[in-house]
Amino acid sequence: MMSVTTSDAEPSGSAAEAYVRFEHVTKRFPANGRRGAPLTALRDVSLEIARGEVFGVIGHSGAGKSTLVRLINGLETPSEGRVHVGPHELTALSERERRGVRRDIGMIFQQFNLFQSRTVAGNVAYPLKVAGVERAERDRRVARLLDFVGLLDRAHDHPEQLSGGQKQRVGIARALATEPSLLLADEATSALDPETTGDVLALLRRVNRELGVTIVIITHELDVIRAIADRVVVLDDGELVESGSVYEVFAHPRTEAAARFVGTTLRDRPSAATLARLRRTHSGRLVTVRVRDRSGLQSALAGTFLRHEVAAEIVFGGISELQDRPVGSLTFELTGPPGAVDASLAALRADGVELVEED
Ligand code: ADP
């Protein structure tokens, strides 16, 4: 079994043990050419990844995500600050000791990185061979892993005979072969279509829940984070601009960078073009209400509009879920007697409802 089991888990409510810890990490790369300034890929990043969680890192291309991964597995060293993995502070280790730490870390990649000349079983067996695991034990583990990822019947096929999703499942089986405690997934679903992405994410969830493997998932896709992560950090141009539970960060983004991710995925306020279209067919006041996990929001809205004799029609919006909690927005067209709409909006604001008048 994997070295981390649920029996290691902290009792819920107390802070879980940090498994990966960044302390004020800055990573600079030398200038490209003589006159360029050094490039800062990560700037003063501090974070903690707990044992047993699925930790998301989201950011646009060039934000520093892959650099962060390479600092965790010791392929890069920080220019300033410290990276701890388990009990080790990586900069204090020799290259040989770093390799030891790396053996406890599995990796999966966007392009799968499988050996085309080896069979599916051969790919999964490879890291075991390198680790010197003897033949019979190797065969047993490969069979168990292929069974776990649902590819036992494809053991003797070559990668080119597989779909993208199947290739990534082989990648996952191979990454798990040495029974790592940590799995780093760098854009692991970015080359897959949405349905296959869902299957691979479901498999990663099982890797986390059933095998107790801590997962760090690097992506530019919010949907991936929504589907699988417990907590998330947002990287923007080398800086860690937000961190928290997936719900906190995306239901209440505090920075523009996080809000940009949310705006493209979660239903938010109508765009200028949508508003213009709505105005052509709706003459009443347009008001957008933010929907979050506040109990009784719908009845507060209905009751208030009724009391003030305001007619409310939903003209735009929607509600989806983040970590099983509602998030979204609803745009209403409000019509009623003079002063009634204003009075109803004042009452809702006093009641703590978040709303904006569209102008
Ligand atoms: P992401 O994974 O979010 O796309 P990266 O971590 O790959 O971002 O890159 C962050 C920045 O650091 C980019 O500007 C990239 O060009 C630069 N960078 C990454 N690795 C190197 C390197 N080995 N040498 C020089 N610049 C690098």
Side-chain angles (χ1 to χ4, degrees):
M1 276 317 296
M2 301 293 156
S3 51
V4 181
T5 62
T6 43
S7 60
D8 292 334
E10 293 276 322
S12 61
S14 72
E17 178 197 352
Y19 183 54
V20 175
R21 193 153 55 86
F22 276 48
E23 261 182 285
H24 301 288
V25 172
T26 291
K27 178 65 187 177
R28 279 184 289 270
F29 290 108
N32 210 350
R34 274 208 301 157
R35 276 196 279 163
L39 192 145
T40 306
L42 288 178
R43 195 173 290 117
D44 195 21
V45 169
S46 295
L47 57 82
E48 286 194 359
I49 300 170
R51 250 185 215 283
E53 73 175 330
V54 178
F55 189 87
V57 178
I58 193 165
H60 293 293
S61 174
K65 304 183 297 295
S66 299
T67 302
L68 188 139
V69 167
R70 294 169 61 78
L71 284 160
I72 296 175
N73 63 19
L75 291 175
E76 298 284 0
T77 50
S79 310
E80 286 165 39
R82 291 193 177 85
V83 176
H84 303 260
V85 177
H88 309 286
E89 198 271 284
L90 294 188
T91 50
L93 301 182
S94 66
E95 180 49 35
R96 209 170 72 89
E97 291 168 315
R98 261 206 292 278
R99 273 203 297 277
V101 173
R102 222 173 280 147
R103 267 198 290 279
D104 200 29
I105 301 177
M107 284 256 351
I108 54 173
F109 309 89
Q110 179 169 1
Q111 296 305 333
F112 322 122
N113 296 15
L114 302 178
F115 295 111
Q116 300 302 322
S117 59
R118 290 173 200 259
T119 62
V120 165
N123 269 279
V124 179
Y126 182 76
L128 295 173
K129 230 174 181 167
V130 171
V133 176
E134 55 105 9
R135 178 76 191 257
E137 170 64 10
R138 217 157 63 205
D139 289 348
R140 263 197 304 278
R141 278 212 229 166
V142 169
R144 209 169 58 212
L145 285 159
L146 287 180
D147 187 37
F148 183 77
V149 302
L151 287 174
L152 200 47
D153 57 334
R154 308 303 296 267
H156 303 296
D157 287 350
H158 279 82
E160 82 253 12
Q161 293 166 272
L162 303 180
S163 69
Q166 289 168 330
K167 285 181 195 157
Q168 193 56 291
R169 284 195 269 155
V170 178
I172 291 169
R174 182 184 56 184
L176 295 176
T178 52
E179 307 188 342
S181 327
L182 177 65
L183 180 66
L184 302 176
D186 192 356
E187 299 284 1
T189 55
S190 302
L192 306 175
D193 60 54
E195 195 183 331
T196 314
T197 292
D199 294 343
V200 169
L201 293 177
L203 176 58
L204 288 176
R205 235 336 178 190
R206 282 181 55 218
V207 169
N208 173 251
R209 296 224 169 117
E210 293 174 26
L211 306 179
V213 176
T214 306
I215 298 181
V216 179
I217 190 148
I218 307 293
T219 184
H220 65 281
E221 296 174 306
L222 178 61
D223 278 339
V224 169
I225 299 292
R226 288 176 69 188
I228 187 173
D230 301 309
R231 292 193 308 135
V232 64
V233 292
V234 181
L235 281 182
D236 187 38
D237 197 17
E239 281 184 52
L240 193 157
V241 293
E242 301 226 14
S243 76
S245 77
V246 169
Y247 191 86
E248 279 165 31
V249 170
F250 292 111
H252 304 283
R254 282 175 288 118
T255 61
E256 219 231 310
R260 277 201 309 270
F261 274 109
V262 180
T264 53
T265 310
L266 303 178
R267 281 174 196 275
D268 215 4
R269 292 176 55 189
S271 65
T274 304
L275 260 186
R277 193 167 46 70
L278 290 172
R279 292 239 181 274
R280 282 201 292 277
T281 45
H282 300 280
S283 54
R285 302 253 296 268
L286 297 179
V287 172
T288 300
V289 175
R290 256 155 70 99
V291 179
R292 297 295 183 262
D293 64 342
R294 169 195 197 279
S295 60
L297 175 65
Q298 320 249 10
S299 55
L301 292 170
T304 306
F305 292 139
L306 189 66
R307 256 197 323 280
H308 291 88
E309 294 174 25
V310 168
E313 190 191 344
I314 296 174
V315 293
F316 182 84
I319 303 172
S320 55
E321 278 197 328
L322 259 182
Q323 296 191 309
D324 304 326
R325 295 152 78 184
V327 60
S329 72
L330 297 172
T331 302
F332 290 91
E333 178 195 23
L334 303 177
T335 46
V341 171
D342 281 327
S344 68
L345 296 182
L348 287 172
R349 284 198 174 101
D351 199 11
V353 174
E354 289 181 70
L355 49 86
V356 258
E357 255 203 87
E358 305 295 353
D359 48 28

